[in-house]
Amino acid sequence: DAGVIQSPRHEVTEMGQEVTLRCKPISGHDYLFWYRQTMMRGLELLIYFNNNVPIDDSGMPEDRFSAKMPNASFSTLKIQPSEPRDSAVYFCASSLRGRNTEAFFGQGTRLTVV
Amino acid sequence: SQQGEEDPQALSIQEGENATMNCSYKTSINNLQWYRQNSGRGLVHLILIRSNEREKHSGRLRVTLDTSKKSSSLLITASRAADTASYFCATGDYGGSQGNLIFGKGTKLSVKP
């Protein structure tokens, strides 16, 4: 398996635009996580899915953020409209059994909102 | 929710020396994990220690867990320049949601050749 694949690697967009980040988890993993990393706040858990179902989205900062997992091999994180304070590195990760097994991270998407 | 806190925030050592990083957490846990992040990359899992374990080894890594003190330490022996990275601990609350894997802010380790 190629690991967790995220796209794009870098995204620069103007304030107010819609941004869609994509993730392909490792095949067979039941859990998918979205994290955001900034210098100020560290690594924040935004939302996670179990068997394609969103379980806990309490970390999603605002209604501007939404995430979907239409099937076991694909997830999206959407920000609409984007704001400069959304600038961060967004990571997707997957694991076999949630917190009790290791999580495998993608390379991240560096988002810059100008 | 639970969050591990690493200490120190930054550590600078010479190649060949040992590096020790600590993690403290707040409530009961099922397990504690350590991850490494090289600059500009995703996190990589290093080791998982369960709440009923006190010590675990993996190559040059040694992890200890003291549930009475709610703390863990990561020791890297005979450090190399390639060990330069940020190190994070991650915990999930005992009895809490299966997916809540919460990370601390990390220790930035610099190993000088």
Side-chain angles (χ1 to χ4, degrees), chain B residues 80-94:
Chain B
R80 305 166 182 169
D83 295 328
T84 294
S86 291
Y87 292 81
F88 297 85
C89 66
T91 60
D93 292 351
Y94 180 81

Side-chain angles (χ1 to χ4, degrees), chain B:
Chain B
S1 62
Q2 174 90 330
Q3 182 180 38
E5 292 186 9
E6 294 88 347
D7 168 61
Q9 288 188 324
L11 180 62
S12 182
I13 59 174
Q14 293 294 131
E15 205 165 29
E17 294 180 341
N18 295 342
T20 299
M21 289 157 271
N22 302 297
C23 170
S24 59
Y25 56 92
K26 297 172 185 168
T27 62
S28 297
I29 57 171
N30 280 318
N31 61 68
L32 186 142
Q33 303 182 41
W34 284 92
Y35 288 77
R36 183 187 74 223
Q37 183 181 33
N38 289 89
S39 181
R41 309 294 294 270
L43 280 74
V44 174
H45 182 265
L46 295 176
I47 200 163
L48 181 153
I49 186 166
R50 303 193 187 285
S51 59
N52 62 353
E53 297 176 308
R54 290 296 166 259
E55 189 169 310
K56 205 161 182 180
H57 297 254
S58 176
R60 293 183 296 112
L61 306 181
R62 173 180 164 241
V63 169
T64 62
L65 179 64
D66 187 336
T67 53
S68 67
K69 295 181 179 178
K70 294 185 170 57
S71 68
S72 174
S73 67
L74 170 66
L75 168 67
I76 304 174
T77 60
S79 64
R80 305 166 182 169
D83 295 328
T84 294
S86 291
Y87 292 81
F88 297 85
C89 66
T91 60
D93 292 351
Y94 180 81
S97 175
Q98 286 290 331
N100 275 344
L101 188 62
I102 307 297
F103 287 80
K105 291 193 175 179
T107 291
K108 193 166 187 177
L109 174 66
S110 175
V111 181
K112 301 184 190 314

Side-chain angles (χ1 to χ4, degrees), chain A residues 9-62:
Chain A
R9 289 294 310 277
H10 302 273
E11 177 81 33
V12 180
T13 191
E14 291 186 347
M15 183 173 65
Q17 296 297 306
E18 177 180 296
V19 175
T20 300
L21 311 181
R22 297 171 175 79
C23 175
K24 181 182 185 328
I26 292 173
S27 177
H29 281 189
D30 289 340
Y31 284 80
L32 183 139
F33 310 84
W34 282 101
Y35 287 90
R36 177 173 70 175
Q37 187 177 37
T38 61
M39 289 292 291
M40 289 293 294
R41 301 173 70 89
L43 201 62
E44 302 172 276
L45 176 62
L46 300 178
I47 185 172
Y48 77 90
F49 296 81
N50 179 23
N51 292 322
N52 313 338
V53 177
I55 302 300
D56 187 347
D57 66 354
S58 59
M60 298 284 260
E62 299 171 37

